[in-house]
């Protein structure tokens, strides 16, 4: 998938924060310093979220992750090959088929979860990009108020009157900035909860798959192939200890017959 063009949002955040910090030194009001601090706290790079969208989403959903899709395609092919070509059948095959069906279902759940996180990252990118324009507008207002205060400092009385006029405007600007920062923090918190939930669920699914065990003990059994029918047949695989025991009993029997 082709990379998206840069939004330039990070540069807007940095510029807004920088000019607001400079303007606050001219305005010299607590609200002005507060606005500058909030703008600095909002600095982020929505382009990173755009990259995360591609990394999280599956290829079917427009991302780059295709491992889960390959697993979902390859396992049915493998089972079909074992059933038709190798002619593996019976209760053991049915058990393996059930386990693999559960495994494919877990892979499908993982894919949906990854796509969900990818959608969340895309929404975050769009939100933080939009808020960067709000930050830029606030920075421009701060420059305007700083210019007004700089002109007013020519006269002591002018400076005092300017502070009276600017304070309500600074209050409104602070409220706007605080609202934008609150939205950004709330969305970041929600996205973090989604990410943590998906991570925990994936860990549970992984543990469930790792705990899957065969219902019978196949430690000394293998599979042979009947050349006449082409069907798979059970074959006993003897351990070294069993071979020694069989060899010892065979020698003893032979000695008895000879006597």
């Amino acid at each position: 998938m082709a990379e998206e063009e840069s939004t330039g949002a990070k540069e807007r955040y940095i510029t807004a924060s920088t000019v607001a910090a400079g303007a606050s030194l001219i305005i010299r009001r607590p609200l002005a310093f507060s606005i500058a601090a909030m703008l600095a706290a909002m600095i982020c790079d929505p382009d990173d979220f755009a990259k995360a969208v591609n990394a999280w989403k599956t290829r079917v959903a427009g991302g780059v992750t295709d491992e889960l899709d390959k697993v979902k395609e390859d396992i049915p092919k493998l089972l079909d090959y074992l059933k038709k070509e190798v002619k593996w059948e019976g209760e053991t095959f049915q058990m393996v088929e059930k386990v693999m069906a559960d495994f494919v279902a877990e892979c499908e759940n993982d894919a949906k979860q990854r796509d969900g996180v990818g959608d969340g990252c895309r929404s975050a990118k769009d939100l933080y990009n939009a808020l960067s324009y709000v930050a830029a507008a606030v920075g421009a207002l701060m420059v305007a108020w700083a210019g007004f205060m700089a002109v007013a400092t020519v006269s002591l009385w002018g400076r005092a009157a300017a502070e009276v006029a600017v304070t309500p405007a600074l209050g409104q600007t602070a409220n706007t900035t605080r609202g934008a920062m609150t939205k950004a923090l709330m969305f970041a918190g929600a996205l973090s909860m989604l990410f943590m939930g998906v991570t925990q669920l994936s860990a549970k699914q992984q543990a469930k798959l790792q705990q899957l065990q065969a219902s019978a003990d196949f430690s000394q059994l293998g599979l042979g192939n009947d050349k006449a029918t082409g069907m798979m047949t059970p074959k006993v695989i003897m351990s070294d200890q069993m071979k020694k025991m069989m060899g010892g009993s065979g020698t003893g029997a032979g000695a008895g017959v000879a006597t």
Side-chain angles (χ1 to χ4, degrees), residues 88-109:
W88 189 14
E89 55 187 22
E91 294 183 0
T92 303
F93 176 76
Q94 292 174 1
M95 180 186 65
V96 172
E97 192 174 32
K98 169 89 167 52
V99 170
M100 290 297 99
D102 293 341
F103 182 78
V104 170
E106 295 295 342
C107 289
E108 290 177 350
N109 289 335

Side-chain angles (χ1 to χ4, degrees), residues 26-40:
I26 298 175
I27 298 173
R28 287 183 295 171
R29 302 292 297 172
L31 281 174
F33 294 116
S34 175
I35 292 171
M38 286 188 286
L39 288 178

